[in-house]
Structures are given as C-alpha cells and as structure tokens.
Amino acid sequence: MERRQYRRRTVRTAGALGLTLALGTGVGGCSDLGLPAEDVSSGAGDPITLLTGAAAALTDAGSSKAGTAMEMATGGTRVTIRGKGVYDYVHRLGRLTVVLPEDPAGAEEHRPLTELLAPGALFMKNRGAGVPTDKWVRVETATLSDGNLVTGGVTDPYTAAEVLRGTRRASYVGRTELAGVPVRHYRGTADLARAARYAPADVRKSLAAAAKGFATEQVPFDAYLDDQGRLRKLRQRFSFVNGRQKTPVAVTSTTLLYDFGAPAVVALPHERDIYAGRIAEDAGTDGA
C-alpha cells in the first residue's frame, strides 16, 4: 500500500453527508488547573500533561478498534450517526462503517457508508447523490470549515486526540470503569488554534481550518484514560455553523477506543476508483 497515493483529484464539498444542523444546546466550560488530592495519591500526574500527550500515547499503542457517535439536533429531532471500524495511529489511517439515522419522514433507508480516513483526506463510498456505487468520493479535510471534525459524520479518532494538545483547563473527576477497564476521568476545555500550533504537520491544517470555521475555538470535553495513558473514551462538544442558519448549534462527538493492537490494514482507493464528477446536491457550491 502506498501511503501517499491519496493525493488525487478532489471532489470538494462542505457538506459531505448533506447534514442539516439546526437548534442545539449550550455547554459549559470546565474547572481549575489545580491537581486534586485524590489525583496526587493515584500517581496519575498533572491532567494537562496527560491530556496533551494522549495522541502520542495512541501512536505508541499502534492501532485499535474504534466506535464513534455524533449527536445533533435537526428539525426538532435529536439524531445520532454511528461508526465502527479500525485505526492505524502510526500511519494515521482508519476505516469506519458509518450508519446514518433513519429518516423520520419515511424516505428510502440510507445504505451504510464506508469511510477511509487518511492524513489530509476523507474517502467515502456509498456516498449517494449521483455517485456511482463503485466509486469513492475524496474530500480534502483542510478545505472543510470544520477540518472534518463534524462533516464526515464521525470525528477522526487521531484528530480528536490531537485536539487535546490545545487543552488549557482540565481537572480530574475520578476513577471509573469502561467495559471492565479501569480509567481516569478528566474534564476540560481545549483551544483549537492552540492545538493546531502544536499538532504534527499532517493534522495542523485541518485543525487550523476548524479553529477558523467553528463558532468558537473552545472545545469542552470529557476524556477517559487508562493506566497506560491511552484514550479509551473522548466526548467533545463543538459549536458549529453549517451555512444554512446563523445560530450556532451544538454537536457532540463521542469516540470509543478498544482492543489496542488489533490489526488495522487500510488500503486507499486507486486513482481510477475516485469519482471525478460533481455531487448532485452540491451543484451550487464551489469546487468540482
């Protein structure tokens, strides 16, 4: 597999899944920088140091299985888009099967999408909207106003961890368990612009785009780390405007990581398999 073979003709679309975001709920910030006595006695260390190093801990882990959930309100109804797959943190490559929510109006059921995540790029199959079923749509994540933290219906697990590099405030909540694994729960707020400054080059442009495109650069989060410092669960709350309304909406993205070391072989599409036409529902947008 050639890791750089994803540099191909691009179909640009600011609404890759055609998501209509409306309404939303506000979320609060988080607490102090002090280290609670319970955290000191646990030997966990400073919360900000641990959180800003979460992406590096994933790279050390190599790979894992991943589950995602993105919740938003649309048309007065709260919907959830779910994904499940594997991720290679060393090469920044992931493969997820994404299931769209049922249409309450009774429209034809959506087929699951296959999404491939790569540095700077998102590939989607079963995209619909006039795209042949045997073709992939490719989107440059740096061209998206959200840096692909929201557009794809999932948040790239590695990029989600890189957001934590921008952690400015964090506190230790306590110990709990996830699927039988002991974890430490932290709550804090990250700054997207700060995360972009400290992120590796292959993530920096996407985070910089998100810092400019979201309604606010501040991202409240709840993070759960195991005793090896690896992210097991991350819930992030983004404030997003998708161009269809002026009022920001709240989008909650939850990432679950498990089975570290599981095989994560991700083959990116060949040039001939990339759709080069215009997506029907985006005919009025810029790009080709």
Side-chain angles (χ1 to χ4, degrees):
M1 177 181 64
E2 297 182 9
R3 185 182 166 199
R4 295 297 179 185
Q5 65 183 351
Y6 58 81
R7 295 183 179 273
R8 303 187 176 98
R9 183 176 302 191
T10 302
V11 177
R12 295 178 60 192
T13 167
L17 293 181
L19 301 177
T20 302
L21 303 182
L23 303 179
T25 56
V27 292
C30 298
S31 56
D32 56 271
L33 297 176
L35 194 62
E38 181 183 355
D39 195 41
V40 173
S41 64
S42 73
D46 173 58
I48 292 181
T49 300
L50 292 168
L51 292 164
T52 55
L58 291 181
T59 301
D60 291 341
S63 64
S64 77
K65 294 182 180 179
T68 65
M70 186 167 290
E71 300 176 63
M72 65 201 72
T74 176
T77 303
R78 184 163 295 278
V79 298
T80 302
I81 299 171
R82 300 188 184 279
K84 191 173 183 179
V86 294
Y87 203 97
D88 174 352
Y89 303 105
V90 176
H91 299 101
R92 318 284 201 263
L93 296 171
R95 183 181 68 252
L96 296 170
T97 299
V98 180
V99 180
L100 302 181
E102 295 182 2
D103 193 322
E108 183 179 352
E109 183 179 356
H110 296 288
R111 295 177 60 188
L113 284 82
T114 300
E115 294 194 6
L116 303 182
L117 309 171
L122 165 67
F123 298 87
M124 295 177 289
K125 199 169 187 179
N126 293 335
R127 170 62 179 83
V131 180
T133 57
D134 63 339
K135 295 293 185 181
W136 293 84
V137 171
R138 180 189 186 280
V139 179
E140 272 190 60
T141 55
T143 68
L144 300 171
S145 62
D146 66 293
N148 196 38
L149 290 172
V150 172
T151 292
V154 301
T155 300
D156 181 310
Y158 183 79
T159 304
E162 284 291 349
V163 171
L164 295 180
R165 285 190 189 272
T167 300
R168 288 189 178 276
R169 304 171 61 193
S171 61
Y172 175 66
V173 178
R175 290 186 68 87
T176 184
E177 285 192 0
L178 290 174
V181 177
V183 293
R184 294 182 177 89
H185 178 191
Y186 299 90
R187 182 167 294 142
T189 302
D191 182 278
L192 286 168
R194 181 181 177 86
R197 286 198 298 273
Y198 294 106
D202 55 7
V203 183
R204 190 174 302 141
K205 289 184 179 180
S206 294
L207 290 178
K212 295 178 181 179
F214 279 118
T216 174
E217 296 177 1
Q218 306 307 305
V219 180
F221 66 83
D222 285 88
Y224 300 78
L225 306 182
D226 64 19
D227 290 338
Q228 287 73 49
R230 302 173 301 192
L231 271 173
R232 290 284 180 162
K233 180 178 179 180
L234 177 60
R235 179 178 290 114
Q236 296 166 312
R237 292 170 286 280
F238 303 105
S239 184
F240 181 67
V241 177
N242 75 339
R244 301 192 183 192
Q245 72 285 320
K246 296 181 180 180
T247 304
V249 299
V251 180
T252 301
S253 175
T254 302
T255 303
L256 295 173
L257 304 176
Y258 56 100
D259 285 357
F260 286 97
V265 179
V266 181
L268 298 178
H270 293 287
E271 175 73 24
R272 63 180 178 273
D273 296 322
I274 305 296
Y275 180 65
R278 184 183 296 274
I279 297 177
E281 68 186 32
D282 296 319
T285 64
D286 293 335

